[in-house]
Amino acid sequence: MEKSNPLVKLVSSIFLLDKDWVTRVTMAMIVLSLIWGILGIIDALMVRIEEASWALFQYLPLSPQEYEGSITLHGIRDLFGFAQQLIFAVFFYFTFKMLKVEPRAKWFFNIGFILFNISFMLFEGPIILTNQPGLITTSELRVGTI
């Protein structure tokens, strides 16, 4: 009896690698839409942390670029990366299964799926390497140092 790697079993069971082509691509779209949804939630959390820290301590832990990036990326990742990809996955699955359509150019569909997900990685994220956060406090505003 052949021993299988547990990581290979996990990936195979998550992405349904033993199923037909449409099911595999649909499952990959669903998994990646959930990943983009979680990243969008993290972006929204960063915005809420910024607002709460200002309301409670008059301290800004993020730079203005990081704050604006969090707002923008929250919308982009949750709308396009999560919601739109999840809707496409369900639509494509039922369309291919119900109509019993076997596309001729599977490679084109796969490349579109890969480019769609890579495009979200090319946005400028809120993680900017800097040695100092926003650091604007009410005392600095009163003194007029800004």
Side-chain angles (χ1 to χ4, degrees):
M1 186 157 203
E2 193 178 304
K3 283 189 175 181
S4 182
N5 187 351
L7 183 61
V8 172
K9 280 186 177 180
L10 178 67
V11 170
S12 179
S13 63
I14 289 175
F15 289 100
L16 302 175
L17 296 179
D18 57 340
K19 305 291 183 188
D20 63 329
W21 174 82
V22 176
T23 307
R24 289 192 312 256
V25 171
T26 302
M27 197 61 200
M29 290 176 84
I30 290 171
V31 168
L32 283 171
S33 72
L34 293 175
I35 290 171
W36 289 120
I38 290 168
L39 290 174
I41 290 170
I42 292 169
D43 289 328
L45 182 65
M46 288 174 63
V47 171
R48 300 303 181 260
I49 289 171
E50 177 86 0
E51 293 166 353
S53 67
W54 179 255
L56 297 173
F57 309 112
Q58 284 73 44
Y59 172 76
L60 296 174
L62 301 175
S63 69
Q65 293 86 2
E66 292 168 330
Y67 175 70
E68 297 294 332
S70 296
I71 293 172
T72 304
L73 286 173
H74 161 64
I76 289 172
R77 288 175 176 161
D78 276 345
L79 177 62
F80 296 112
F82 172 68
Q84 188 174 8
Q85 185 164 225
L86 188 61
I87 291 169
F88 281 162
V90 172
F91 175 75
F92 290 139
Y93 182 77
F94 285 122
T95 301
F96 289 144
K97 287 293 184 176
M98 290 170 61
L99 298 176
K100 296 182 170 82
V101 174
E102 189 67 29
R104 292 183 197 171
K106 293 178 187 175
W107 62 270
F108 192 70
F109 188 85
N110 289 335
I111 287 176
F113 162 68
I114 291 167
L115 289 177
F116 182 79
N117 282 287
I118 287 177
S119 68
F120 293 106
M121 294 176 209
L122 299 178
F123 290 128
E124 180 183 348
I127 300 169
I128 300 171
L129 297 177
T130 147
N131 58 357
Q132 138 181 13
L135 294 179
I136 299 174
T137 62
T138 53
S139 62
E140 290 174 343
L141 290 174
R142 274 186 255 134
V143 173
T145 58
I146 296 180

mmCIF file of all heavy atoms in Angstrom, residues 61-97:
data_model
loop_
_atom_site.group_PDB
_atom_site.id
_atom_site.type_symbol
_atom_site.label_atom_id
_atom_site.label_comp_id
_atom_site.label_asym_id
_atom_site.label_seq_id
_atom_site.Cartn_x
_atom_site.Cartn_y
_atom_site.Cartn_z
ATOM 1 N N PRO A 61 -1.964 55.466 14.069
ATOM 2 C CA PRO A 61 -0.915 54.453 13.896
ATOM 3 C C PRO A 61 -0.511 54.249 12.440
ATOM 4 O O PRO A 61 0.561 53.724 12.174
ATOM 5 C CB PRO A 61 -1.536 53.187 14.474
ATOM 6 C CG PRO A 61 -2.998 53.404 14.371
ATOM 7 C CD PRO A 61 -3.216 54.876 14.493
ATOM 8 N N LEU A 62 -1.350 54.646 11.496
ATOM 9 C CA LEU A 62 -1.043 54.447 10.077
ATOM 10 C C LEU A 62 -0.754 55.786 9.425
ATOM 11 O O LEU A 62 -1.290 56.821 9.825
ATOM 12 C CB LEU A 62 -2.229 53.794 9.354
ATOM 13 C CG LEU A 62 -2.705 52.441 9.866
ATOM 14 C CD1 LEU A 62 -3.956 52.009 9.126
ATOM 15 C CD2 LEU A 62 -1.622 51.401 9.717
ATOM 16 N N SER A 63 0.068 55.743 8.396
ATOM 17 C CA SER A 63 0.296 56.954 7.612
ATOM 18 C C SER A 63 -0.956 57.220 6.765
ATOM 19 O O SER A 63 -1.779 56.324 6.568
ATOM 20 C CB SER A 63 1.528 56.778 6.721
ATOM 21 O OG SER A 63 1.250 55.845 5.711
ATOM 22 N N PRO A 64 -1.112 58.433 6.243
ATOM 23 C CA PRO A 64 -2.279 58.708 5.393
ATOM 24 C C PRO A 64 -2.358 57.780 4.173
ATOM 25 O O PRO A 64 -3.443 57.379 3.763
ATOM 26 C CB PRO A 64 -2.075 60.166 4.966
ATOM 27 C CG PRO A 64 -1.245 60.751 6.050
ATOM 28 C CD PRO A 64 -0.353 59.640 6.529
ATOM 29 N N GLN A 65 -1.205 57.430 3.610
ATOM 30 C CA GLN A 65 -1.206 56.529 2.460
ATOM 31 C C GLN A 65 -1.716 55.146 2.842
ATOM 32 O O GLN A 65 -2.458 54.512 2.088
ATOM 33 C CB GLN A 65 0.201 56.407 1.860
ATOM 34 C CG GLN A 65 0.713 57.673 1.229
ATOM 35 C CD GLN A 65 1.378 58.605 2.219
ATOM 36 O OE1 GLN A 65 1.500 58.298 3.408
ATOM 37 N NE2 GLN A 65 1.793 59.764 1.750
ATOM 38 N N GLU A 66 -1.311 54.657 4.018
ATOM 39 C CA GLU A 66 -1.769 53.346 4.471
ATOM 40 C C GLU A 66 -3.258 53.362 4.777
ATOM 41 O O GLU A 66 -3.970 52.415 4.475
ATOM 42 C CB GLU A 66 -0.985 52.909 5.708
ATOM 43 C CG GLU A 66 0.464 52.605 5.419
ATOM 44 C CD GLU A 66 1.292 52.452 6.677
ATOM 45 O OE1 GLU A 66 0.985 53.087 7.699
ATOM 46 O OE2 GLU A 66 2.258 51.673 6.622
ATOM 47 N N TYR A 67 -3.729 54.442 5.364
ATOM 48 C CA TYR A 67 -5.154 54.558 5.691
ATOM 49 C C TYR A 67 -6.000 54.592 4.422
ATOM 50 O O TYR A 67 -6.971 53.844 4.293
ATOM 51 C CB TYR A 67 -5.375 55.817 6.535
ATOM 52 C CG TYR A 67 -6.824 56.092 6.835
ATOM 53 C CD1 TYR A 67 -7.531 55.278 7.711
ATOM 54 C CD2 TYR A 67 -7.475 57.168 6.259
ATOM 55 C CE1 TYR A 67 -8.862 55.521 7.996
ATOM 56 C CE2 TYR A 67 -8.807 57.421 6.538
ATOM 57 C CZ TYR A 67 -9.495 56.602 7.405
ATOM 58 O OH TYR A 67 -10.817 56.842 7.675
ATOM 59 N N GLU A 68 -5.641 55.446 3.477
ATOM 60 C CA GLU A 68 -6.390 55.528 2.212
ATOM 61 C C GLU A 68 -6.271 54.232 1.426
ATOM 62 O O GLU A 68 -7.231 53.783 0.797
ATOM 63 C CB GLU A 68 -5.886 56.709 1.373
ATOM 64 C CG GLU A 68 -6.079 58.057 2.011
ATOM 65 C CD GLU A 68 -7.532 58.443 2.167
ATOM 66 O OE1 GLU A 68 -8.365 57.993 1.376
ATOM 67 O OE2 GLU A 68 -7.835 59.205 3.101
ATOM 68 N N GLY A 69 -5.096 53.603 1.473
ATOM 69 C CA GLY A 69 -4.931 52.313 0.801
ATOM 70 C C GLY A 69 -5.817 51.244 1.403
ATOM 71 O O GLY A 69 -6.361 50.401 0.691
ATOM 72 N N SER A 70 -5.991 51.272 2.702
ATOM 73 C CA SER A 70 -6.857 50.290 3.365
ATOM 74 C C SER A 70 -8.303 50.451 2.938
ATOM 75 O O SER A 70 -9.003 49.475 2.703
ATOM 76 C CB SER A 70 -6.761 50.422 4.884
ATOM 77 O OG SER A 70 -5.480 50.123 5.322
ATOM 78 N N ILE A 71 -8.757 51.702 2.837
ATOM 79 C CA ILE A 71 -10.140 51.947 2.406
ATOM 80 C C ILE A 71 -10.341 51.457 0.976
ATOM 81 O O ILE A 71 -11.294 50.745 0.662
ATOM 82 C CB ILE A 71 -10.478 53.442 2.514
ATOM 83 C CG1 ILE A 71 -10.501 53.874 3.979
ATOM 84 C CG2 ILE A 71 -11.822 53.741 1.857
ATOM 85 C CD1 ILE A 71 -10.645 55.358 4.182
ATOM 86 N N THR A 72 -9.415 51.829 0.104
ATOM 87 C CA THR A 72 -9.539 51.457 -1.301
ATOM 88 C C THR A 72 -9.442 49.947 -1.494
ATOM 89 O O THR A 72 -10.263 49.343 -2.194
ATOM 90 C CB THR A 72 -8.443 52.154 -2.126
ATOM 91 O OG1 THR A 72 -8.545 53.561 -1.918
ATOM 92 C CG2 THR A 72 -8.577 51.842 -3.594
ATOM 93 N N LEU A 73 -8.451 49.336 -0.873
ATOM 94 C CA LEU A 73 -8.259 47.900 -1.058
ATOM 95 C C LEU A 73 -9.375 47.082 -0.423
ATOM 96 O O LEU A 73 -9.695 45.996 -0.911
ATOM 97 C CB LEU A 73 -6.899 47.480 -0.515
ATOM 98 C CG LEU A 73 -5.730 47.909 -1.386
ATOM 99 C CD1 LEU A 73 -4.426 47.614 -0.693
ATOM 100 C CD2 LEU A 73 -5.786 47.242 -2.731
ATOM 101 N N HIS A 74 -9.969 47.580 0.645
ATOM 102 C CA HIS A 74 -11.114 46.880 1.229
ATOM 103 C C HIS A 74 -12.230 46.771 0.194
ATOM 104 O O HIS A 74 -12.795 45.693 -0.020
ATOM 105 C CB HIS A 74 -11.610 47.620 2.472
ATOM 106 C CG HIS A 74 -12.991 47.265 2.882
ATOM 107 N ND1 HIS A 74 -13.327 45.996 3.297
ATOM 108 C CD2 HIS A 74 -14.127 47.984 2.940
ATOM 109 C CE1 HIS A 74 -14.616 45.964 3.588
ATOM 110 N NE2 HIS A 74 -15.119 47.164 3.375
ATOM 111 N N GLY A 75 -12.529 47.867 -0.473
ATOM 112 C CA GLY A 75 -13.578 47.842 -1.489
ATOM 113 C C GLY A 75 -13.216 46.979 -2.689
ATOM 114 O O GLY A 75 -14.020 46.181 -3.161
ATOM 115 N N ILE A 76 -12.004 47.118 -3.165
ATOM 116 C CA ILE A 76 -11.588 46.380 -4.358
ATOM 117 C C ILE A 76 -11.534 44.879 -4.086
ATOM 118 O O ILE A 76 -12.049 44.072 -4.856
ATOM 119 C CB ILE A 76 -10.216 46.885 -4.846
ATOM 120 C CG1 ILE A 76 -10.352 48.282 -5.435
ATOM 121 C CG2 ILE A 76 -9.614 45.941 -5.872
ATOM 122 C CD1 ILE A 76 -9.037 48.941 -5.776
ATOM 123 N N ARG A 77 -10.913 44.497 -2.971
ATOM 124 C CA ARG A 77 -10.758 43.064 -2.688
ATOM 125 C C ARG A 77 -12.090 42.398 -2.365
ATOM 126 O O ARG A 77 -12.330 41.263 -2.780
ATOM 127 C CB ARG A 77 -9.778 42.856 -1.545
ATOM 128 C CG ARG A 77 -8.357 43.130 -1.950
ATOM 129 C CD ARG A 77 -7.425 43.031 -0.776
ATOM 130 N NE ARG A 77 -6.042 43.205 -1.198
ATOM 131 C CZ ARG A 77 -5.068 43.516 -0.384
ATOM 132 N NH1 ARG A 77 -5.290 43.693 0.898
ATOM 133 N NH2 ARG A 77 -3.843 43.654 -0.838
ATOM 134 N N ASP A 78 -12.947 43.088 -1.610
ATOM 135 C CA ASP A 78 -14.218 42.453 -1.253
ATOM 136 C C ASP A 78 -15.209 42.463 -2.410
ATOM 137 O O ASP A 78 -15.967 41.520 -2.580
ATOM 138 C CB ASP A 78 -14.826 43.113 -0.020
ATOM 139 C CG ASP A 78 -14.263 42.551 1.267
ATOM 140 O OD1 ASP A 78 -13.629 41.481 1.208
ATOM 141 O OD2 ASP A 78 -14.452 43.165 2.317
ATOM 142 N N LEU A 79 -15.220 43.528 -3.210
ATOM 143 C CA LEU A 79 -16.169 43.570 -4.318
ATOM 144 C C LEU A 79 -15.728 42.676 -5.479
ATOM 145 O O LEU A 79 -16.476 41.812 -5.926
ATOM 146 C CB LEU A 79 -16.351 45.003 -4.812
ATOM 147 C CG LEU A 79 -17.277 45.163 -6.025
ATOM 148 C CD1 LEU A 79 -18.681 44.706 -5.674
ATOM 149 C CD2 LEU A 79 -17.293 46.581 -6.511
ATOM 150 N N PHE A 80 -14.514 42.887 -5.953
ATOM 151 C CA PHE A 80 -14.066 42.150 -7.131
ATOM 152 C C PHE A 80 -13.452 40.793 -6.784
ATOM 153 O O PHE A 80 -13.801 39.782 -7.377
ATOM 154 C CB PHE A 80 -13.074 42.991 -7.937
ATOM 155 C CG PHE A 80 -13.689 44.230 -8.498
ATOM 156 C CD1 PHE A 80 -13.313 45.469 -8.032
ATOM 157 C CD2 PHE A 80 -14.662 44.153 -9.472
ATOM 158 C CE1 PHE A 80 -13.881 46.624 -8.533
ATOM 159 C CE2 PHE A 80 -15.241 45.288 -9.989
ATOM 160 C CZ PHE A 80 -14.856 46.536 -9.514
ATOM 161 N N GLY A 81 -12.528 40.801 -5.835
ATOM 162 C CA GLY A 81 -11.844 39.555 -5.506
ATOM 163 C C GLY A 81 -12.752 38.533 -4.857
ATOM 164 O O GLY A 81 -12.681 37.345 -5.154
ATOM 165 N N PHE A 82 -13.623 38.965 -3.962
ATOM 166 C CA PHE A 82 -14.500 38.030 -3.250
ATOM 167 C C PHE A 82 -15.833 37.857 -3.972
ATOM 168 O O PHE A 82 -16.137 36.791 -4.503
ATOM 169 C CB PHE A 82 -14.730 38.501 -1.817
ATOM 170 C CG PHE A 82 -15.768 37.702 -1.090
ATOM 171 C CD1 PHE A 82 -15.543 36.383 -0.765
ATOM 172 C CD2 PHE A 82 -16.970 38.269 -0.740
ATOM 173 C CE1 PHE A 82 -16.507 35.635 -0.106
ATOM 174 C CE2 PHE A 82 -17.939 37.546 -0.073
ATOM 175 C CZ PHE A 82 -17.710 36.230 0.242
ATOM 176 N N ALA A 83 -16.643 38.899 -3.997
ATOM 177 C CA ALA A 83 -18.030 38.772 -4.463
ATOM 178 C C ALA A 83 -18.126 38.418 -5.948
ATOM 179 O O ALA A 83 -18.821 37.476 -6.321
ATOM 180 C CB ALA A 83 -18.786 40.061 -4.166
ATOM 181 N N GLN A 84 -17.425 39.155 -6.785
ATOM 182 C CA GLN A 84 -17.533 38.921 -8.219
ATOM 183 C C GLN A 84 -16.981 37.552 -8.607
ATOM 184 O O GLN A 84 -17.569 36.843 -9.415
ATOM 185 C CB GLN A 84 -16.814 40.027 -8.986
ATOM 186 C CG GLN A 84 -17.046 39.965 -10.469
ATOM 187 C CD GLN A 84 -16.449 41.148 -11.188
ATOM 188 O OE1 GLN A 84 -15.726 41.957 -10.586
ATOM 189 N NE2 GLN A 84 -16.712 41.261 -12.469
ATOM 190 N N GLN A 85 -15.875 37.165 -8.018
ATOM 191 C CA GLN A 85 -15.299 35.863 -8.359
ATOM 192 C C GLN A 85 -16.184 34.710 -7.877
ATOM 193 O O GLN A 85 -16.330 33.707 -8.561
ATOM 194 C CB GLN A 85 -13.900 35.739 -7.770
ATOM 195 C CG GLN A 85 -13.204 34.479 -8.185
ATOM 196 C CD GLN A 85 -11.722 34.534 -7.937
ATOM 197 O OE1 GLN A 85 -10.969 34.145 -8.798
ATOM 198 N NE2 GLN A 85 -11.275 35.003 -6.802
ATOM 199 N N LEU A 86 -16.808 34.879 -6.706
ATOM 200 C CA LEU A 86 -17.712 33.857 -6.197
ATOM 201 C C LEU A 86 -18.939 33.721 -7.089
ATOM 202 O O LEU A 86 -19.378 32.609 -7.399
ATOM 203 C CB LEU A 86 -18.119 34.195 -4.760
ATOM 204 C CG LEU A 86 -18.904 33.147 -4.005
ATOM 205 C CD1 LEU A 86 -18.086 31.863 -3.862
ATOM 206 C CD2 LEU A 86 -19.301 33.671 -2.643
ATOM 207 N N ILE A 87 -19.484 34.840 -7.538
ATOM 208 C CA ILE A 87 -20.637 34.804 -8.451
ATOM 209 C C ILE A 87 -20.243 34.157 -9.778
ATOM 210 O O ILE A 87 -20.985 33.334 -10.324
ATOM 211 C CB ILE A 87 -21.179 36.230 -8.663
ATOM 212 C CG1 ILE A 87 -21.827 36.731 -7.378
ATOM 213 C CG2 ILE A 87 -22.165 36.275 -9.814
ATOM 214 C CD1 ILE A 87 -22.145 38.198 -7.385
ATOM 215 N N PHE A 88 -19.080 34.522 -10.312
ATOM 216 C CA PHE A 88 -18.614 33.901 -11.554
ATOM 217 C C PHE A 88 -18.446 32.395 -11.395
ATOM 218 O O PHE A 88 -18.800 31.627 -12.288
ATOM 219 C CB PHE A 88 -17.282 34.504 -12.003
ATOM 220 C CG PHE A 88 -17.394 35.837 -12.679
ATOM 221 C CD1 PHE A 88 -16.293 36.655 -12.795
ATOM 222 C CD2 PHE A 88 -18.594 36.285 -13.209
ATOM 223 C CE1 PHE A 88 -16.368 37.887 -13.410
ATOM 224 C CE2 PHE A 88 -18.693 37.511 -13.828
ATOM 225 C CZ PHE A 88 -17.574 38.316 -13.927
ATOM 226 N N ALA A 89 -17.894 31.971 -10.273
ATOM 227 C CA ALA A 89 -17.665 30.538 -10.052
ATOM 228 C C ALA A 89 -18.976 29.773 -10.082
ATOM 229 O O ALA A 89 -19.092 28.747 -10.766
ATOM 230 C CB ALA A 89 -16.952 30.321 -8.716
ATOM 231 N N VAL A 90 -19.967 30.256 -9.365
ATOM 232 C CA VAL A 90 -21.269 29.570 -9.338
ATOM 233 C C VAL A 90 -21.932 29.625 -10.711
ATOM 234 O O VAL A 90 -22.467 28.626 -11.198
ATOM 235 C CB VAL A 90 -22.163 30.202 -8.253
ATOM 236 C CG1 VAL A 90 -23.576 29.671 -8.326
ATOM 237 C CG2 VAL A 90 -21.567 29.964 -6.872
ATOM 238 N N PHE A 91 -21.866 30.781 -11.370
ATOM 239 C CA PHE A 91 -22.469 30.927 -12.696
ATOM 240 C C PHE A 91 -21.819 29.991 -13.714
ATOM 241 O O PHE A 91 -22.516 29.294 -14.464
ATOM 242 C CB PHE A 91 -22.340 32.383 -13.154
ATOM 243 C CG PHE A 91 -22.822 32.622 -14.546
ATOM 244 C CD1 PHE A 91 -24.173 32.654 -14.832
ATOM 245 C CD2 PHE A 91 -21.920 32.809 -15.583
ATOM 246 C CE1 PHE A 91 -24.618 32.876 -16.126
ATOM 247 C CE2 PHE A 91 -22.348 33.026 -16.872
ATOM 248 C CZ PHE A 91 -23.709 33.064 -17.152
ATOM 249 N N PHE A 92 -20.495 29.985 -13.756
ATOM 250 C CA PHE A 92 -19.802 29.120 -14.711
ATOM 251 C C PHE A 92 -20.066 27.646 -14.423
ATOM 252 O O PHE A 92 -20.277 26.856 -15.348
ATOM 253 C CB PHE A 92 -18.300 29.379 -14.716
ATOM 254 C CG PHE A 92 -17.914 30.697 -15.316
ATOM 255 C CD1 PHE A 92 -16.921 31.463 -14.737
ATOM 256 C CD2 PHE A 92 -18.536 31.172 -16.452
ATOM 257 C CE1 PHE A 92 -16.555 32.674 -15.273
ATOM 258 C CE2 PHE A 92 -18.186 32.383 -17.001
ATOM 259 C CZ PHE A 92 -17.198 33.139 -16.409
ATOM 260 N N TYR A 93 -20.075 27.270 -13.162
ATOM 261 C CA TYR A 93 -20.297 25.867 -12.813
ATOM 262 C C TYR A 93 -21.664 25.401 -13.296
ATOM 263 O O TYR A 93 -21.783 24.376 -13.969
ATOM 264 C CB TYR A 93 -20.155 25.669 -11.305
ATOM 265 C CG TYR A 93 -20.339 24.222 -10.886
ATOM 266 C CD1 TYR A 93 -19.323 23.311 -11.087
ATOM 267 C CD2 TYR A 93 -21.530 23.785 -10.320
ATOM 268 C CE1 TYR A 93 -19.473 21.986 -10.726
ATOM 269 C CE2 TYR A 93 -21.693 22.465 -9.951
ATOM 270 C CZ TYR A 93 -20.657 21.577 -10.152
ATOM 271 O OH TYR A 93 -20.823 20.263 -9.796
ATOM 272 N N PHE A 94 -22.693 26.163 -12.942
ATOM 273 C CA PHE A 94 -24.039 25.738 -13.346
ATOM 274 C C PHE A 94 -24.250 25.851 -14.842
ATOM 275 O O PHE A 94 -24.961 25.033 -15.430
ATOM 276 C CB PHE A 94 -25.102 26.536 -12.582
ATOM 277 C CG PHE A 94 -25.242 26.086 -11.161
ATOM 278 C CD1 PHE A 94 -25.053 26.972 -10.115
ATOM 279 C CD2 PHE A 94 -25.544 24.771 -10.861
ATOM 280 C CE1 PHE A 94 -25.176 26.553 -8.808
ATOM 281 C CE2 PHE A 94 -25.672 24.342 -9.553
ATOM 282 C CZ PHE A 94 -25.484 25.236 -8.525
ATOM 283 N N THR A 95 -23.634 26.837 -15.475
ATOM 284 C CA THR A 95 -23.765 26.955 -16.932
ATOM 285 C C THR A 95 -23.140 25.761 -17.628
ATOM 286 O O THR A 95 -23.755 25.144 -18.505
ATOM 287 C CB THR A 95 -23.105 28.253 -17.436
ATOM 288 O OG1 THR A 95 -23.727 29.359 -16.799
ATOM 289 C CG2 THR A 95 -23.244 28.390 -18.937
ATOM 290 N N PHE A 96 -21.922 25.405 -17.253
ATOM 291 C CA PHE A 96 -21.250 24.283 -17.897
ATOM 292 C C PHE A 96 -21.935 22.959 -17.575
ATOM 293 O O PHE A 96 -22.046 22.085 -18.433
ATOM 294 C CB PHE A 96 -19.775 24.218 -17.495
ATOM 295 C CG PHE A 96 -18.927 25.307 -18.085
ATOM 296 C CD1 PHE A 96 -17.882 25.862 -17.364
ATOM 297 C CD2 PHE A 96 -19.153 25.775 -19.365
ATOM 298 C CE1 PHE A 96 -17.090 26.861 -17.901
ATOM 299 C CE2 PHE A 96 -18.368 26.770 -19.917
ATOM 300 C CZ PHE A 96 -17.343 27.316 -19.177
ATOM 301 N N LYS A 97 -22.394 22.794 -16.347
ATOM 302 C CA LYS A 97 -23.010 21.524 -15.948
ATOM 303 C C LYS A 97 -24.413 21.351 -16.536
ATOM 304 O O LYS A 97 -24.761 20.275 -17.023
ATOM 305 C CB LYS A 97 -23.080 21.409 -14.415
ATOM 306 C CG LYS A 97 -21.745 21.165 -13.780
ATOM 307 C CD LYS A 97 -21.220 19.807 -14.149
ATOM 308 C CE LYS A 97 -19.929 19.521 -13.445
ATOM 309 N NZ LYS A 97 -19.418 18.205 -13.692
#
